[in-house]
Amino acid sequence: MSFRFHVNDEVIVISGRDKGKKGIISKVFVKLNKVIVNKINLVHKHQKPNKNVSGSGGILLKESLIDISNISHFCKCPSLILSKVGFRYENNKKIRYLKKNNLMV
């Protein structure tokens, strides 16, 4: 089965603490059904000082995983709608498209 979310897709959070925020997917974890979205779902990470890695420690802000059921694709068209992704074949090539307005993703 093809995964519907890819890196650099624009998404919007539809539930949870960051509901309504928009961002771009930076990493996808297919087996976990989770993604990391830039500047969304920030958590505090207590980092111990380590000379080998970064040198300084402290409390850092880090992006955490978001389940794919909590995000939806966001269309950049003037109507600004949420949409699901479908697949179709054009010229013997499989493409992804937004179901509400038939735009390619």
Side-chain angles (χ1 to χ4, degrees), residues 50-102:
N50 189 347
K51 293 179 183 177
N52 296 333
V53 180
S54 63
S56 62
I59 300 174
L60 308 174
L61 279 175
K62 180 181 173 186
E63 296 156 345
S64 184
L65 297 171
I66 300 176
D67 197 87
I68 60 167
S69 64
N70 296 336
I71 60 173
S72 179
H73 280 90
F74 185 73
C75 180
K76 298 175 188 174
C77 58
S79 60
L80 300 176
I81 56 173
L82 303 178
S83 182
K84 292 184 179 181
V85 172
F87 295 97
R88 67 177 171 221
Y89 288 94
E90 288 183 3
N91 301 328
N92 294 329
K93 188 174 180 182
K94 188 176 184 179
I95 62 165
R96 295 184 313 141
Y97 71 99
L98 295 175
K99 288 187 174 183
K100 287 213 176 171
N101 55 7
N102 288 324

Side-chain angles (χ1 to χ4, degrees), residues 3-69:
F3 204 62
R4 294 186 180 340
F5 293 98
H6 292 241
V7 175
N8 293 329
D9 283 351
E10 188 170 355
V11 295
I12 186 167
V13 180
I14 57 175
S15 67
R17 180 181 64 193
D18 294 323
K19 181 178 181 178
K21 292 184 180 178
K22 296 175 213 139
I24 296 176
I25 295 177
S26 61
K27 197 159 186 184
V28 177
F29 299 93
V30 177
K31 290 188 178 184
L32 296 175
N33 284 334
K34 296 184 185 277
V35 295
I36 292 181
V37 182
N38 290 338
K39 299 179 184 175
I40 304 290
N41 199 22
L42 295 174
V43 295
H44 293 283
K45 168 78 175 158
H46 294 262
Q47 186 69 40
K48 199 172 189 180
N50 189 347
K51 293 179 183 177
N52 296 333
V53 180
S54 63
S56 62
I59 300 174
L60 308 174
L61 279 175
K62 180 181 173 186
E63 296 156 345
S64 184
L65 297 171
I66 300 176
D67 197 87
I68 60 167
S69 64

